[in-house]
Amino acid sequence: MQEEVTRREVVAVDAEQQKQNIQQELLQLRQNSDHQIQSKVKLIEEAEYNRKKVEEEIRLIRLQLESTEKQRAGAETELRELRARAEEAERQKRQAQEEAERLRRQ
C-alpha cells in the first residue's frame, strides 16, 4: 500500500514537472512567435517605406521626362522654323542673284 502511495506521488511529481516543462516550452514558443511577428512587421514597414521612395522617384522621373519631351518638341518646332527661314533666305538670295544677272545683261 505504501509502495502504491509512493509510486503515485512519484507519478504526480513527474506529471507536475512535465506540466511545468510544457508550460515553459509554450511560453518560449509564444515569445519566439512574438519576436518573429515583430521582425516580419519591421520588414513589412521597411518594404513599404522603400516602395514609397521608389514610387516618388518614378513620379519625379516622369515629370522630368514630360519636361524633356516638351523641350524637345519646342526645339523641333524651332528647328523647323529656322529651316523654313533658311530656305526662304536661300530662295530670296537666288532670286536676287537672278535679278542681278538679268540687270547686268541689259
Side-chain angles (χ1 to χ4, degrees), residues 54-72:
V54 167
E55 286 176 350
E56 179 61 16
E57 289 175 17
I58 289 170
R59 188 185 71 78
L60 291 174
I61 289 169
R62 283 186 176 147
L63 289 174
Q64 290 173 344
L65 179 60
E66 288 174 14
S67 175
T68 300
E69 288 174 348
K70 286 177 184 175
Q71 288 175 352
R72 189 191 87 226

Side-chain angles (χ1 to χ4, degrees), residues 47-105:
E48 182 68 14
Y49 173 77
N50 288 333
R51 182 185 64 81
K52 286 180 181 179
K53 267 179 52 177
V54 167
E55 286 176 350
E56 179 61 16
E57 289 175 17
I58 289 170
R59 188 185 71 78
L60 291 174
I61 289 169
R62 283 186 176 147
L63 289 174
Q64 290 173 344
L65 179 60
E66 288 174 14
S67 175
T68 300
E69 288 174 348
K70 286 177 184 175
Q71 288 175 352
R72 189 191 87 226
E76 287 175 349
T77 300
E78 186 177 350
L79 179 60
R80 280 193 299 273
E81 291 170 357
L82 288 172
R83 284 182 177 157
R85 285 173 43 196
E87 288 173 7
E88 179 61 22
E90 185 63 31
R91 187 187 65 74
Q92 289 176 359
K93 177 183 166 189
R94 277 193 310 268
Q95 195 176 30
Q97 287 173 339
E98 289 171 2
E99 182 67 24
E101 185 65 32
R102 189 181 61 77
L103 289 174
R104 271 184 265 184
R105 288 185 198 154

Side-chain angles (χ1 to χ4, degrees), residues 10-35:
V10 168
V11 168
V13 168
D14 188 42
E16 183 62 31
Q17 183 62 42
Q18 286 181 357
K19 177 184 168 187
Q20 288 178 2
N21 288 344
I22 290 170
Q23 287 176 335
Q24 182 64 34
E25 198 173 323
L26 182 60
L27 177 64
Q28 186 65 39
L29 287 172
R30 283 184 183 150
Q31 288 174 345
N32 288 344
S33 291
D34 289 345
H35 179 70

